[in-house]
Amino acid sequence: MGILAKVMEDGGGKKFVQTSSPFLTLVTCEWNPKFATRREEVDYEIENKPYIEARAELGLEENVETYAEPGEDENIVRTFMNQMPNLPKVCPAGGGGGRSCVIRNPSGINPDPNESPREEPDAERRLIFITDLDRWSIYALIGTASYYQAFVLRDALYKHLAFENLIEVTFPPAGLAMFQLAFHLPYYAWRTSQSACEDHRQDANASPLRQSLDISLLNPKSSKSSNFLYEAQISCVVAGSDEYRWVAYCFVDTYFDIGEANETVQSYHEDSLADEGMFTDPFTFGERDADDPIQKPREYFLEVFRVRIDQVKCEWEQVVANVQENIRKYVPIEQTHHHSLALSRERTSSKVAEDHDSNVRRSRDWVVQVRRLSKQLSQDISKTVDACERFCCKYPIYFRNLPGSPDVHLSLAAIQTTFDRLELLKKTLESLAERCDDFARDLELHLIVENIEVGNLQHKLSEDNKGLSVIMMS
């Protein structure tokens, strides 16, 4: 049943829209007009002061020192994240090696007293791009995050580390009026190699933060390199108090790629130094010129989202195509059991019967594993599709009627096309899982028939032996 919801447009007018969800009426559908102007009432000097220092000056911290002794960084991380319920046990644990680009030195590092202090840029638009977010990157972020950005960073770290799926536009219910545009996109990457690429980051149990799965079972007859599925996530948050001063964070998992295929801060820098090279924006996967930036936060968010959701779609396409190809190659061949089982009565030896039965059981074990994999992938891509649907239902109104931004409509159209493709991939995985279900049922039925036929044959042999014994005794 459709429901009419009254919403506010950017121009201040009201209109009614139809929705199938009664909860849409609880969402504030208005972009705060305060965001469109420089807010003079906000003390932006605090944006240049780390959160830890600001809390110490306000008397909210017992220890006013902002640098950490060896081993104390874990406590700082936990203190910073203490307002997040069910915090994943991944923040303080694990080795280093992350690749990051932060805009300042972390305040938690005790500076060299012999070194002259450097003047740091006071940029209104601040972008922080990090690949393979680890404990050291987190510590640097916590040491540089401003008081107003602390809650944004805390939320972004939690959702990225927890492998959560979310696309949303939110506004804090209390305190300084701010906006937060965010997407968190978990996915799987299919890679082929001789051995798995292990995630160097570890949780509190000394297990890799992101897991990998050897899926060579899909093609058991192949003697080439193994196939692996890797957990990965891309997260981006754009937040600020107005459209002139805002901060963006982007966290990208790349641990499963090596060599030239690996996306790193260093690779972007080296590309800019090459002949006729260009300094590209890593948020947009290098598609945009960083020297010609998008200044407005909503337009920038949509551009980054368009590029990164398309990247996630391409990874899912590769996964689905490979799973589909291997099922198609294996199932038709094994379906010849229909014919071979029909001829089971004509077997000439017990060896043939044993080999046949063994082949059927191997096929059953294979299809059970593939069915489990297909269903798991289907469930995971469904979470992304659901997040996309919620975004389409609740949040496009915040991106309507942007002044001087005709490309926004093109971005939204491209995002919608990607959403539709993800929906088709979800249906393909569901279809593959159903196909495996049907094949598994056929194999189970054949095994049942086999057992019945073997039982009948044994009974017949027993009766024949009895008859032969009677003849020999007479």
Side-chain angles (χ1 to χ4, degrees):
M1 179 179 67
I3 297 175
L4 288 178
K6 183 168 68 174
V7 299
M8 298 290 296
E9 292 190 305
D10 290 341
K14 299 179 180 179
K15 65 176 294 186
F16 286 91
V17 297
Q18 188 169 11
T19 174
S20 59
S21 172
F23 299 106
L24 184 60
T25 57
L26 302 179
V27 179
T28 301
C29 296
E30 179 184 12
W31 185 256
N32 193 328
K34 290 184 178 180
F35 298 150
T37 60
R38 293 181 182 274
R39 300 172 64 184
E40 300 301 333
E41 77 275 13
V42 178
D43 179 13
Y44 285 104
E45 286 299 321
I46 201 170
E47 284 295 290
N48 293 324
K49 183 174 297 184
Y51 166 81
I52 298 174
E53 291 183 10
R55 284 182 60 87
E57 290 182 1
L58 293 173
L60 301 177
E61 302 288 352
E62 295 181 2
N63 181 11
V64 298
E65 293 185 355
T66 60
Y67 65 88
E69 297 296 337
E72 291 183 358
D73 56 318
E74 298 184 4
N75 294 328
I76 291 177
V77 173
R78 290 193 178 278
T79 301
F80 181 83
M81 300 292 288
N82 65 359
Q83 297 183 31
M84 298 303 299
N86 303 319
L87 176 67
K89 297 180 179 180
V90 293
C91 290
R99 290 145 290 185
S100 61
C101 176
V102 294
I103 55 176
R104 300 185 226 164
N105 290 330
S107 64
I109 297 178
N110 195 13
D112 185 350
N114 298 322
E115 182 179 341
S116 300
R118 293 178 299 174
E119 183 177 353
E120 296 175 349
D122 186 17
E124 291 186 330
R125 174 179 171 271
R126 303 176 181 182
L127 311 181
I128 299 99
F129 177 80
I130 299 177
T131 58
D132 295 333
L133 182 74
D134 64 6
R135 65 185 298 187
W136 307 115
S137 303
I138 293 172
Y139 184 43
L141 289 173
I142 292 174
T144 56
S146 71
Y147 188 82
Y148 290 141
Q149 291 293 334
F151 82 95
V152 175
L153 177 61
R154 184 184 296 120
D155 187 60
L157 291 174
Y158 177 84
K159 289 184 171 61
H160 183 75
L161 296 172
F163 206 58
E164 287 197 3
N165 223 317
L166 187 67
I167 310 168
E168 64 178 1
V169 179
T170 56
F171 310 94
L176 178 68
M178 296 183 64
F179 58 84
Q180 182 176 344
L181 318 172
F183 66 81
H184 301 272
L185 303 172
Y187 65 96
Y188 289 95
W190 178 297
R191 297 294 185 269
T192 301
S193 59
Q194 295 295 333
S195 59
C197 297
E198 185 175 345
D199 188 358
H200 70 274
R201 302 164 295 175
Q202 296 180 346
D203 60 20
N205 298 317
S207 298
L209 175 61
R210 305 291 190 225
Q211 301 295 317
S212 62
L213 176 64
D214 187 341
I215 51 173
S216 301
L217 63 94
L218 281 173
N219 190 7
K221 299 178 181 179
S222 175
S223 59
K224 300 179 180 180
S225 299
S226 299
N227 295 316
F228 299 94
L229 272 183
Y230 296 97
E231 290 182 344
Q233 176 151 335
I234 300 175
S235 299
C236 179
V237 180
V238 177
S241 54
D242 62 47
E243 296 183 355
Y244 297 90
R245 302 175 180 91
W246 48 275
V247 177
Y249 299 96
C250 186
F251 309 139
V252 180
D253 288 337
T254 65
Y255 69 94
F256 47 84
D257 281 327
I258 57 177
E260 295 182 358
N262 195 2
E263 180 186 8
T264 64
V265 173
Q266 183 67 23
S267 64
Y268 285 113
H269 176 67
E270 291 176 352
D271 289 344
S272 68
L273 299 178
D275 293 339
E276 299 182 358
M278 181 177 67
F279 182 49
T280 57
D281 183 356
F283 277 62
T284 63
F285 207 13
E287 287 194 12
R288 290 194 64 92
D289 185 353
D291 292 326
D292 183 23
I294 299 175
Q295 298 291 346
K296 297 300 182 180
R298 284 182 288 176
E299 291 92 322
Y300 186 70
F301 173 80
L302 283 182
E303 179 66 8
V304 175
F305 185 38
R306 177 190 67 80
V307 172
R308 292 298 181 172
I309 190 68
D310 185 71
Q311 178 187 354
V312 169
K313 178 215 57 172
C314 291
E315 293 288 357
W316 273 113
E317 285 179 332
Q318 185 177 8
V319 170
V320 174
N322 282 313
V323 172
Q324 188 174 35
E325 178 185 2
N326 283 279
I327 290 178
R328 284 177 174 174
K329 283 196 296 187
Y330 192 87
V331 171
I333 296 175
E334 295 303 322
Q335 283 179 335
T336 57
H337 285 303
H338 287 277
H339 178 66
S340 58
L341 285 167
L343 300 178
S344 60
R345 298 183 183 87
E346 303 178 9
R347 294 189 187 119
T348 57
S349 69
S350 59
K351 180 65 168 62
V352 173
E354 290 177 0
D355 290 344
H356 176 77
D357 187 66
S358 177
N359 289 335
V360 174
R361 293 184 184 279
R362 279 199 302 271
S363 296
R364 182 193 60 185
D365 294 341
W366 177 90
V367 77
V368 167
Q369 295 182 69
V370 175
R371 175 181 59 186
R372 186 181 300 116
L373 174 64
S374 299
K375 288 187 175 181
Q376 180 63 50
L377 293 174
S378 177
Q379 292 172 0
D380 290 333
I381 197 174
S382 294
K383 295 176 183 177
T384 300
V385 171
D386 292 343
C388 294
E389 290 179 350
R390 288 193 296 270
F391 178 82
C392 290
C393 290
K394 297 172 63 174
Y395 302 120
I397 193 167
Y398 296 118
F399 302 95
R400 293 180 57 193
N401 303 325
L402 294 179
S405 304
D407 293 340
V408 168
H409 301 289
L410 297 177
S411 295
L412 287 171
I415 291 170
Q416 181 62 62
T417 300
T418 302
F419 287 175
D420 294 341
R421 178 57 180 163
L422 287 170
E423 175 69 27
L424 290 177
L425 292 173
K426 168 193 167 185
K427 292 181 178 179
T428 299
L429 284 171
E430 292 173 345
S431 176
L432 292 174
E434 291 176 1
R435 185 175 180 181
C436 289
D437 281 337
D438 294 339
F439 189 35
R441 282 192 293 267
D442 286 345
L443 292 174
E444 291 290 349
L445 178 61
H446 290 325
L447 288 173
I448 293 173
V449 172
E450 282 291 301
N451 291 332
I452 293 175
E453 290 185 350
V454 170
N456 292 338
L457 179 60
Q458 291 176 343
H459 179 72
K460 184 176 183 303
L461 289 175
S462 177
E463 292 296 325
D464 291 344
N465 289 334
K466 289 181 181 179
L468 182 60
S469 297
V470 171
I471 293 174
M472 292 179 64
M473 293 176 61
S474 60

